[in-house]
């Protein structure tokens, strides 16, 4: 699943491609929006909110999308071949006389009044890359359930918006804390939102995430994520994996049992 830095970068690309020019086409290929015609309206801006994308359109409308695990937005120049997947996976095609954005496999696609955006993003905590970032509020929300495992608390977008599995695993490693440590037992808990902010800010303009000092080496860009059974870069202990929450799908956690001892 794309995380906050990827979504921030994608919002910039969508904004640059579509904003300020009338739409010459806008196909919304989901049943409830199939009759909607937005051609002739201008896109005002595309902004990220955590992992959500909000494309604001002239007339007080917002096209809301979320990529989840498999969704993608691709930008194509005129006459460029679309390569994001087969045609039946296309869910949205807003385009101008210049560029066309094509949304593939979008599991969430809504059109709502801009004034009602809070209905789809109002539940989110402070956005790590947004103008509303508030580390004190993020910390308050993280500690509101002190018994909750640290990894779960970091993934909960109601606490702070923008963290996914990669940053969860990397943050826990850098904090030298087990992902299953009760968040209320984390020493210096204010370090968690501060470090999360630092990592996402550092990576929001990079095509490849880097959390280690060895970013020039593709195999050493991350401390533990994706390194199952390989040596921990810090101590050499094999990195382990497990489900963060047995009830949640696709939330595998990577951690070093030596650097991050069990609670």
């Amino acid at each position: 699943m794309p995380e906050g830095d990827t979504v921030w970068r994608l919002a910039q690309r969508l904004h640059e491609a579509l904003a300020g020019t009338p739409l010459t086409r806008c196909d919304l290929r989901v049943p409830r929006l199939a009759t909607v015609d937005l051609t002739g309206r201008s896109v005002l801006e595309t902004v990220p909110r955590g992992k959500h994308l909000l494309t604001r359109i002239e007339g007080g409308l917002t096209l809301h999308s979320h990529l989840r695990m498999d969704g993608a937005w691709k930008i194509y120049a005129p006459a460029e071949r679309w390569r994001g997947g087969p045609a039946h996976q296309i869910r949205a095609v807003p385009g101008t006389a210049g560029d066309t954005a094509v949304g593939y496999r979008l599991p969430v696609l809504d059109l709502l009044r801009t004034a009602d955006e809070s209905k789809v993003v109002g539940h989110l905590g402070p956005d790590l890359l947004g103008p509303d970032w508030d580390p004190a509020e993020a910390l308050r929300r993280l500690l509101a359930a002190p018994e909750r495992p640290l990894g779960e608390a970091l993934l909960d977008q109601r606490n702070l918006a923008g963290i996914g599995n990669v940053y969860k695993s990397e943050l826990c490693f850098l904090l030298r804390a087990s992902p299953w440590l009760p968040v209320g037992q984390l020493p210096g808990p204010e370090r968690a939102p501060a470090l999360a902010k630092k990592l996402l800010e550092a990576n929001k303009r990079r095509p490849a995430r880097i959390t280690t000092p060895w970013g020039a080496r593709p195999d050493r860009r991350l401390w533990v994520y994706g390194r199952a059974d390989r040596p921990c870069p810090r101590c050499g202990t094999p990195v382990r994996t497990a489900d963060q929450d047995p009830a949640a799908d696709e939330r595998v956690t990577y951690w070093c049992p030596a650097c991050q001892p069990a609670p």
Side-chain angles (χ1 to χ4, degrees):
M1 177 185 292
E3 306 192 19
D5 54 345
T6 302
V7 174
W8 185 93
R9 194 161 53 250
L10 178 55
Q12 308 308 304
R13 294 187 62 226
L14 287 169
H15 180 82
E16 291 169 3
L18 301 176
T21 306
L23 293 171
T24 57
R25 69 178 297 179
C26 189
D27 302 331
L28 302 178
R29 302 180 185 180
V30 295
R32 65 185 176 280
L33 301 178
T35 60
V36 172
D37 183 7
L38 300 174
T39 57
R41 301 184 188 226
S42 292
V43 171
L44 304 178
E45 60 181 346
T46 296
V47 298
R49 182 72 175 85
K51 301 179 187 179
H52 298 251
L53 287 160
L54 303 170
T55 297
R56 294 169 180 155
I57 300 168
E58 185 180 21
L61 297 174
T62 294
L63 187 66
H64 164 238
S65 59
H66 194 297
L67 305 180
R68 291 191 179 163
M69 293 301 298
D70 300 317
W73 279 101
K74 303 290 185 180
I75 311 296
Y76 299 108
E80 184 179 1
R81 185 169 65 89
W82 299 357
R83 304 177 304 278
H88 72 266
Q89 295 182 346
I90 296 173
R91 299 291 177 265
V93 189
T96 69
D99 295 320
T100 298
V102 183
Y104 292 91
R105 302 171 299 280
L106 299 175
V108 176
L109 186 68
D110 303 305
L111 186 68
L112 63 154
R113 294 171 56 211
T114 301
D116 294 334
E117 287 179 357
S118 62
K119 292 181 179 180
V120 292
V121 295
H123 64 289
L124 299 175
D127 186 344
L128 283 154
L129 296 178
D132 69 317
W133 174 242
D134 182 341
E137 175 61 15
L139 179 62
R140 184 192 71 78
R141 293 186 182 213
L142 281 171
L143 296 178
E147 73 288 350
R148 195 175 191 188
L150 174 61
E152 287 184 29
L154 290 172
L155 281 175
D156 192 334
Q157 303 299 295
R158 296 169 298 180
N159 292 335
L160 63 174
I163 292 176
N165 270 348
V166 178
Y167 282 117
K168 172 203 63 181
S169 296
E170 295 297 287
L171 279 164
C172 289
F173 179 84
L174 289 167
L175 292 167
R176 291 182 176 264
S178 165
W180 293 274
L181 177 75
V183 67
Q185 296 180 24
L186 178 66
E190 69 282 352
R191 295 180 299 145
L195 184 55
K197 171 71 168 175
K198 180 179 179 180
L199 288 180
L200 266 73
E201 283 286 353
N203 282 291
K204 68 182 184 181
R205 299 184 189 277
R206 292 172 176 163
R209 292 190 185 104
I210 298 172
T211 61
T212 73
W214 309 291
R217 294 181 54 178
D219 62 331
R220 298 288 292 273
R221 286 175 177 155
L222 301 176
W223 286 104
V224 290
Y225 188 85
R227 295 183 61 86
D229 300 322
R230 295 167 61 192
C232 166
R234 180 183 284 155
C235 73
T237 301
V239 171
R240 296 182 61 190
T241 63
D243 290 338
Q244 179 68 57
D245 175 1
D249 294 331
E250 298 175 327
R251 290 197 166 186
V252 175
T253 293
Y254 295 79
W255 86 104
C256 171
C259 295
Q260 302 166 261

